[in-house]
Amino acid sequence: MSYPVPANQVETLYEIKKSKFIALAGFVNSRESAMTLLDQAKAKYPDARHHCWAYVFGNPNMPTSAAMADDGEPSGTAGKPILNVLQHKDIGDIMIIVTRYFGGVKLGAGGLVRAYSAAAQQAIDALEVREEIVLDDVFVEVDFKHEQFVRHIVEQASGKIAQCNYSHCVDMHILLPNAALDDFEQQMAPIALSIKKQR
């Protein structure tokens, strides 16, 4: 399984009736990383009235988590329209924060919804994406003489060796793309002392 995620952070500016909407979009994959990005926006624009946001974690077709906040704007006029934009895009592990400077002219509930949607959309349009490949955990035990062979196969499959423990044999924790698992198991069958998968 792979899905598009933000490859960079972008910031865009949307202005309407003297109000400024500064949208920041970037990669987040946990509540902690999302709150760090929010803190960055607040630190950069400390005098702004609102920092409204939404995020989606995981594969956009079946997200593991999604959340939003209006940060003082009327309920449903900020976080929801930002989340709505995210849910209609095929991008996962993403957060958009829209920082608003009030320009003195009230936009009304409908105007706010349109402005937050437009600001979020503008940020998405400016964003570059990359493929995020989901890696599965595989635990393999092999004799010392086979370690280099296993490393070679893992590298060819675009996987990673997460950890190696040496005792009477080599105990390897490997991260592999789902699509490479069957091939890997076939190649390991003659040499592995044990092989376990975690999905």
Side-chain angles (χ1 to χ4, degrees):
M1 289 289 284
S2 67
Y3 55 90
V5 298
N8 60 342
Q9 262 186 32
V10 297
E11 194 174 273
T12 56
L13 172 64
Y14 177 76
E15 283 188 72
I16 183 165
K17 294 183 180 172
K18 298 182 183 172
S19 271
K20 289 182 179 179
F21 294 84
I22 301 157
L24 171 67
F27 177 86
V28 293
N29 59 4
S30 66
R31 175 91 187 162
E32 191 182 18
S33 59
M35 293 306 103
T36 300
L37 194 63
L38 182 59
D39 288 342
Q40 278 178 29
K42 286 180 174 177
K44 191 168 180 185
Y45 302 106
D47 55 339
R49 278 200 176 190
H50 308 282
H51 300 278
C52 309
W53 55 266
Y55 64 63
V56 174
F57 298 158
N59 189 321
N61 300 317
M62 41 183 184
T64 54
S65 180
M68 63 189 177
D70 292 315
D71 191 33
E73 290 283 31
S75 181
T77 62
K80 198 170 175 46
I82 298 168
L83 184 60
N84 205 18
V85 168
L86 290 181
Q87 287 173 331
H88 286 87
K89 299 293 165 194
D90 189 27
I91 303 172
D93 293 328
I94 183 170
M95 181 176 196
I96 294 182
I97 300 153
V98 180
T99 298
R100 181 190 179 198
Y101 282 96
F102 182 55
V105 180
K106 290 198 169 175
L107 300 177
L112 282 175
V113 169
R114 285 190 295 275
Y116 278 103
S117 296
Q121 183 62 54
Q122 202 169 291
I124 289 271
D125 291 344
L127 196 65
E128 288 174 32
V129 295
R130 63 176 174 82
E131 271 314 283
E132 176 81 349
I133 296 169
V134 180
L135 299 175
D136 287 326
D137 292 276
V138 185
F139 298 88
V140 180
E141 287 184 341
V142 292
D143 282 329
F144 295 103
K145 64 183 177 189
H146 297 306
E147 182 187 351
Q148 285 312 316
F149 175 65
V150 176
R151 285 181 179 275
H152 175 67
I153 293 171
V154 170
E155 196 177 305
Q156 285 199 313
S158 302
K160 296 176 192 163
I161 309 276
Q163 203 174 3
C164 245
N165 293 318
Y166 300 93
S167 53
H168 63 284
C169 63
V170 186
D171 186 3
M172 303 172 90
H173 176 192
I174 295 163
L175 299 170
L176 277 179
N178 193 277
L181 278 179
D182 291 344
D183 262 6
F184 180 76
E185 283 183 79
Q186 283 174 5
Q187 290 181 287
M188 287 299 104
I191 61 166
L193 302 172
S194 79
I195 182 163
K196 291 197 294 282
K197 279 185 296 191
Q198 254 185 350
R199 282 186 176 168

